[in-house]
Amino acid sequence: MVQFDLAARPLRELNAALHALPLNTNETHWEIINPDGKHAIAAGLDAPVTVEIKGNAGYYCAGMNQVATVVVHGNAGVGVAENMMSGRVHIRGDVSQSAGATGNGGLLIVEGNASGRCGISMKGIDIVVKGSIGPMSAFMAQAGNLVVLGDAGEALGDSIYEARLFVRGTVKSLGADCEEKTLGADERAILAGLLAEAESDASVDEFRLYGSARKLYHFHLDNADAY
Amino acid sequence: MCGIAGIFLKNPALEPRLGAMLSDMMAVLSDRGPDSAGFAIYGRGDADRRKVTLRGDSAAAVIAAVEGIGTELPGMVTEFRDSHAVVSIPVGDEAKLRALAATAGVQVVGTGERMEIYKEVGLPQSVSERFGLAQMSGTHAIGHTRMATESAVTTKGAHPFSTGGDQCLVHNGSLSNHNGVRRELIRQGIRFETDNDSEVAAGYLTQKLREGVGLREALQESLADLDGFYTFVVGTEKGFAVLRDPIACKPAVMAETDDYVAFGSEYRALAVLPGIETARVFEPEPATVYAWERH
């Protein structure tokens, strides 16, 4: 295992070292100590390595991740795993706003709560939040799955295109063009798979599914007078 | 972008370290606000006297002006800190002091029983060092690091703003209806030193407190009356409060332990505090007032 102390060496050195790893690297396990909320820790990884961050990470941790596994033993700041392509990002604590924003793929697991705008503009990422999520989550979501074991804040799924939003608790309000959907066999299988991946024993039966009413896809001639 | 740091102590044993704690937090927040910095600190006070913080264009200017004022106010006790002077006067002399300060060309930055306010242009760390923040003690303190986007980099535009005794406010964000609110507040007798939007928020709270509304309720009412983006951190003689706008546009993180409550724009600013490893760290919810009070 490679240990890197962010109190002793600069962040750029860490990220440069991680970026330089070849796909067949033998240095597959990294431990980062004293993160102290620094920004962009382990962003832009593209090798199959595991990076464990021992403490709290700041903004944009594990952004743009591809194939790597990043575990934060603490909280993460704004935009964790933003634009993730593949791989796995696991946060042991809470996350700030815009977690998993614009993510294309991979799995983001949050053991605690997520703040507002969780999964904003998600494009294929899977997100499992074991606590609750804040307001305006899954805004303009396009593809992927958001699973919430707790509650969702105001305006869930506002202006959603596609994407499945599974919520076990209460939803404070739904955003424009977001509606409850029937939880069919296909959706139940997807949900069960994600719960298993996130090592949750929650029952599929406890969830409700929300998605797009698809009424904003096309311009309605009836609205012409409004412009 | 701006940075905010605030500390409200629960454990009096930490009071001698308050200035050092705030100074460390503000240094971290330099990269959120390198233009200017300021802080308010609640230290010792005397119920019969008024503490007034005065600011001049330079250390020499403030010394010359305040020594002149002293000849007119014999009971005045003065402590100079760089471009600022904190003078202690009998409560009844405040109006006379304000008139003398205006004539002498020094600005009244804040008044109160216990509050002192310091602000200057420059990197937060150098501002803290110029005023000796790390050596100051107190019960609670609020600091601000400014990255000016809408108005000039001047000391007058630096936070905290104070529009009432022992009251101060710092703000990250921008208000859109401040001109209308300012006109109404001026009509009600609130005095403003600048055209700054954040000063209007301070004045709004001063007016509410004058009307006898509590700090928590005043902030609750501001949700309906102030429009824009904001995270506010507010201090009064006994209180410390936080409010974010309804869409939580600006960042905020808090930490609470048995010894203190602390606010930071980012977790990085909290990471320098003692006992942070075991603190309860949380983000304040949008449109929700958080307030603590000393007893």
Side-chain angles (χ1 to χ4, degrees):
Chain A
M1 189 182 67
V2 185
Q3 195 186 59
F4 196 101
D5 184 354
L6 277 175
R9 293 159 71 189
L11 174 68
R12 278 171 193 250
E13 204 175 288
L14 168 69
N15 281 343
L18 291 169
H19 295 165
L21 294 173
L23 285 172
N24 61 353
T25 179
N26 289 323
E27 294 177 323
T28 56
H29 194 179
W30 291 63
E31 184 180 80
I32 297 165
I33 59 169
N34 295 314
D36 291 345
K38 290 192 170 68
H39 295 181
I41 299 173
L45 303 193
D46 58 359
V49 298
T50 296
V51 177
E52 295 200 60
I53 299 169
K54 296 294 179 82
N56 296 317
Y59 290 16
Y60 313 125
C61 175
M64 303 174 284
N65 187 53
Q66 294 187 66
V67 303
T69 297
V70 177
V71 183
V72 179
H73 297 270
N75 304 321
V78 173
V80 64
E82 60 149 9
N83 213 46
M84 175 151 67
M85 302 305 286
S86 62
R88 183 181 172 108
V89 175
H90 192 161
I91 313 298
R92 298 279 179 194
D94 297 331
V95 297
S96 184
Q97 301 199 22
S98 305
T102 74
N104 284 269
L107 174 63
L108 168 63
I109 301 168
V110 179
E111 296 289 333
N113 300 312
S115 188
R117 304 178 183 90
C118 178
I120 182 172
S121 197
M122 53 193 280
K123 297 179 177 127
I125 189 174
D126 292 324
I127 304 173
V128 179
V129 179
K130 295 192 180 174
S132 296
I133 60 172
M136 293 160 282
S137 289
F139 176 65
M140 293 186 86
Q142 291 146 54
N145 300 289
L146 172 63
V147 179
V148 183
L149 274 63
D151 303 327
E154 286 178 344
L156 176 68
D158 192 277
S159 305
I160 184 171
Y161 291 83
E162 289 301 327
R164 299 175 201 87
L165 315 178
F166 301 96
V167 183
R168 183 165 71 160
T170 59
V171 174
K172 196 161 185 190
S173 65
L174 291 173
D177 213 33
C178 185
E179 63 176 16
E180 187 170 352
K181 302 276 192 188
T182 308
L183 193 59
D186 290 352
E187 290 84 9
R188 293 172 69 91
I190 291 167
L191 176 56
L194 288 170
L195 289 169
E197 277 229 55
E199 295 176 342
S200 164
D201 53 10
S203 162
V204 169
D205 297 326
E206 297 172 309
F207 287 81
R208 288 166 174 248
L209 173 65
Y210 304 89
S212 176
R214 299 173 187 159
K215 288 186 182 142
L216 295 178
Y217 272 39
H218 304 290
F219 182 72
H220 268 267
L221 200 57
D222 293 349
N223 294 331
D225 286 349
Y227 299 94
Chain B
M1 190 157 72
C2 292
I4 298 177
I7 309 168
F8 176 86
L9 295 180
K10 299 178 185 176
N11 180 357
L14 280 176
E15 287 177 14
R17 292 173 64 188
L18 180 71
M21 289 161 76
L22 188 74
S23 170
D24 287 349
M25 292 174 79
M26 287 174 63
V28 174
L29 292 173
S30 255
D31 46 7
R32 292 191 66 88
D35 296 337
S36 53
F39 57 91
I41 187 159
Y42 293 78
R44 283 181 196 285
D46 182 342
D48 301 330
R49 296 181 73 83
R50 206 74 172 148
K51 258 184 180 179
V52 181
T53 310
L54 300 168
R55 185 187 72 82
D57 291 336
S58 65
V62 83
I63 289 170
V66 172
E67 283 180 348
I69 293 170
T71 60
E72 305 284 328
L73 285 174
M76 186 172 97
V77 181
T78 307
E79 187 181 352
F80 290 105
R81 286 183 188 264
D82 198 80
S83 57
H84 288 45
V86 176
V87 302
S88 168
I89 51 170
V91 169
D93 285 352
E94 189 183 332
K96 189 174 177 192
L97 175 69
R98 280 185 180 275
L100 290 167
T103 311
V106 286
Q107 187 200 351
V108 175
V109 189
T111 69
E113 187 185 317
R114 298 205 293 124
M115 183 187 70
E116 298 172 18
I117 291 190
Y118 302 87
K119 47 173 116 174
E120 268 303 345
V121 171
L123 283 172
Q125 195 164 352
S126 73
V127 172
S128 299
E129 283 168 8
R130 282 172 66 178
F131 296 122
L133 171 59
Q135 287 77 46
M136 292 186 192
S137 66
T139 55
H140 49 304
I142 298 171
H144 187 270
T145 67
R146 180 170 187 235
M147 183 180 286
T149 53
E150 313 256 338
S151 58
V153 179
T154 60
T155 306
K156 269 195 158 185
H159 300 225
F161 286 101
S162 180
T163 48
D166 280 323
Q167 295 167 20
C168 73
L169 173 142
V170 299
H171 173 207
N172 179 14
S174 60
L175 298 178
S176 49
N177 65 340
H178 62 99
N179 282 326
V181 176
R182 186 188 296 106
R183 280 193 291 273
E184 179 60 24
L185 291 169
I186 288 170
R187 203 178 63 75
Q188 291 173 322
I190 300 288
R191 179 174 29 214
F192 292 98
E193 299 278 338
T194 72
D195 293 328
N196 189 287
D197 58 335
S198 308
E199 192 183 14
V200 173
Y204 175 88
L205 295 178
T206 297
Q207 176 60 24
K208 288 286 174 193
L209 294 170
R210 267 188 198 173
E211 290 167 8
V213 177
L215 179 58
R216 180 183 288 274
E217 294 71 26
L219 281 164
Q220 192 65 40
E221 290 180 26
S222 79
L223 282 163
D225 294 331
L226 298 179
D227 187 20
F229 302 129
Y230 51 84
T231 293
F232 296 134
V233 181
V234 182
T236 62
E237 200 266 314
K238 287 199 160 45
F240 178 83
V242 172
L243 175 65
R244 302 174 81 186
D245 68 59
I247 64 164
C249 191
K250 297 294 177 182
V253 190
M254 300 199 68
E256 185 164 15
T257 71
D258 289 341
D259 292 336
Y260 60 80
V261 174
F263 177 98
S265 289
E266 293 181 32
Y267 175 77
R268 288 182 304 145
L270 302 174
V272 298
L273 293 175
I276 190 68
E277 305 78 19
T278 53
R280 182 173 78 93
V281 176
F282 63 99
E283 284 194 356
E285 299 271 331
T288 305
V289 178
Y290 293 79
W292 288 265
E293 187 124 322
R294 286 166 51 77
H295 300 292

